[in-house]
């Protein structure tokens, strides 16, 4: 009888536990949507400093320091802009008015010219740098979040604090991410993980995990973006780590660190 009673007690707790999990998930989704909308409305007026450390096979390392910011092609369509200040510790001579000039030029350019401007790292000797990950949170604005399904995965830890990890998958709409393979754009639906503080629902990390076929090889891009509350209101990226694999071989790692944000 004790064993049966114990089993009955466990099953009697399941509905309450499930309800609690559903409520926690609701808080996380609402907080994510609210923070994404706040990001969209605020970041075009914010600039900072970006330090990129790229490591490629066979053990080649480069560092680029840039002024970093965002511009809006149209409401909700926000991209990164940057002006390189130094390469491997050597200053780069600049003309014009920095990020302001870059944003003006990008707005006036056609699609091909914009891509060249946005991927200006290559002229400094870095190949295949992954860009435009800072605004990843925009995947989950109020206009987009209904395109995704979320499911609780596990509890984990980040910076010594507990986080709740949710799996997300895009189930509707066109591909939310563009990968350039052999010079051609590939639009992909996205999937990955959302890490959030369990008490507040505040998002702290977004993981993107995509792959595509390139000839006989499988190319996998694994990226995570860490966010933190800024003094200007929105969450802003503090760290982006991107790794690209050909089958199981690591080809390149891009590590971006962000600091010294300021409002224009």
């Amino acid at each position: 009888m004790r064993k049966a009673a114990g089993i009955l007690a466990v099953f009697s707790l399941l509905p309450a536990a499930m309800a609690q999990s559903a409520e926690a998930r609701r808080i996380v989704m609402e907080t994510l949507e609210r923070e994404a909308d706040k990001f969209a409305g605020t970041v075009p007026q914010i600039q900072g400093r970006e330090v990129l450390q790229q490591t490629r096979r066979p053990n080649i390392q480069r560092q680029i320091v840039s002024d970093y910011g965002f511009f809006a092609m149209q409401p909700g369509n926000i991209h990164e802009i940057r002006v390189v200040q130094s390469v491997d510790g050597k200053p780069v001579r600049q003309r014009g008015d920095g990020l302001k000039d870059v944003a003006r030029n990008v707005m006036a350019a056609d699609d091909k010219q914009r891509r060249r401007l946005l991927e200006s790292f290559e002229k400094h000797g870095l190949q295949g740098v992954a860009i435009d990950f800072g605004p990843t949170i925009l995947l989950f604005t109020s206009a987009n979040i209904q395109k995704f399904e979320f499911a609780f995965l596990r509890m984990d830890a980040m910076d010594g604090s507990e986080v709740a990890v949710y799996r997300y998958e895009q189930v509707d709409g066109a591909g939310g991410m563009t990968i350039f393979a052999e010079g051609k754009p590939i639009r992909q639906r996205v999937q990955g993980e959302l890490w959030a503080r369990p008490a507040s629902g505040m998002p702290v990390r977004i993981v993107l995990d995509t792959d595509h076929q390139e000839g006989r090889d499988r190319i996998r891009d694994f990226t995570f973006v860490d966010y933190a509350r800024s003094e200007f209101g929105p969450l802003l990226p503090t760290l982006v780590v991107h790794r690209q694999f050909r089958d199981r071989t690591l080809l390149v790692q891009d590590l971006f660190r962000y600091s010294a944000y300021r409002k224009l």
Side-chain angles (χ1 to χ4, degrees):
M1 285 296 292
R2 285 183 193 159
K3 184 175 181 181
I7 293 173
L8 181 62
V10 169
F11 277 97
S12 69
L13 291 174
L14 286 179
M18 291 172 66
Q20 186 179 15
S21 296
E23 175 66 9
R25 176 182 172 278
R26 182 190 66 79
I27 293 172
V28 167
M29 299 305 103
E30 289 182 355
T31 305
L32 175 63
E33 179 181 349
R34 183 174 65 249
E35 291 299 329
D37 287 344
K38 187 183 295 185
F39 184 99
T42 310
V43 296
Q45 291 81 44
I46 295 175
Q47 295 180 1
R49 177 57 55 98
E50 174 188 78
V51 178
L52 163 61
Q53 185 79 39
Q54 185 183 78
T55 304
R56 301 183 62 88
R57 300 183 69 203
N59 199 30
I60 299 172
Q61 292 192 346
R62 304 294 304 277
Q63 184 184 79
I64 287 186
V65 178
S66 305
D67 288 337
Y68 173 80
F70 308 90
F71 77 100
M73 294 293 297
Q74 52 188 321
N77 185 9
I78 294 173
H79 295 275
E80 299 173 337
I81 53 174
R82 50 181 55 81
V83 174
V84 175
Q85 298 296 324
S86 68
V87 179
D88 296 332
K90 298 179 180 179
V92 174
R93 295 180 64 182
Q94 300 292 347
R95 297 178 180 177
D97 193 19
L99 289 175
K100 186 176 179 181
D101 278 352
V102 173
R104 187 184 300 115
N105 291 338
V106 171
M107 290 293 288
D110 60 26
D111 286 344
K112 187 177 292 186
Q113 290 170 317
R114 286 190 193 113
R115 184 170 169 235
R116 283 202 300 266
L117 286 165
L118 293 171
E119 296 178 357
S120 60
F121 281 133
E122 293 190 359
K123 71 181 181 181
H124 297 291
L126 278 77
Q127 300 298 314
V129 175
I131 60 172
D132 253 359
F133 282 117
T136 293
I137 194 172
L138 293 176
L139 289 171
F140 308 112
T141 61
S142 54
N144 296 322
I145 197 168
Q146 69 274 8
K147 300 175 184 177
F148 295 85
E149 286 186 350
F150 294 83
F152 176 75
L153 276 182
R154 66 185 186 276
M155 299 303 295
D156 212 312
M158 180 176 172
D159 299 329
S161 298
E162 190 177 49
V163 292
V165 181
Y166 291 80
R167 177 76 177 171
Y168 71 84
E169 182 176 0
Q170 185 179 353
V171 295
D172 190 23
M177 182 177 180
T178 302
I179 298 290
F180 286 90
E182 299 178 342
K184 300 177 181 179
I186 300 173
R187 294 285 290 174
Q188 294 184 310
R189 289 189 174 186
V190 296
Q191 60 184 14
E193 294 178 352
L194 169 69
W195 295 35
R197 301 295 181 198
S200 64
M202 190 63 61
V204 292
R205 173 174 290 178
I206 299 174
V207 179
L208 295 159
D209 195 355
T210 63
D211 59 24
H212 66 276
Q213 200 70 28
E214 197 172 283
R216 295 183 177 181
D217 300 325
R218 200 70 181 167
I219 305 299
R220 180 189 179 201
D221 288 275
F222 179 86
T223 307
F224 66 83
V225 187
D226 288 354
Y227 291 93
R229 175 71 68 207
S230 72
E231 61 182 295
F232 312 111
L235 296 175
L236 292 174
T238 59
L239 175 70
V240 174
V241 177
H242 164 258
R243 299 183 180 103
Q244 186 175 83
F245 300 84
R246 183 179 298 274
D247 296 326
R248 295 186 178 183
T249 302
L250 178 63
L251 298 179
V252 60
Q253 173 176 280
D254 300 314
L255 192 156
F256 301 82
R257 295 188 185 277
Y258 299 95
S259 63
Y261 283 113
R262 61 192 183 279
K263 196 167 185 178
L264 300 182

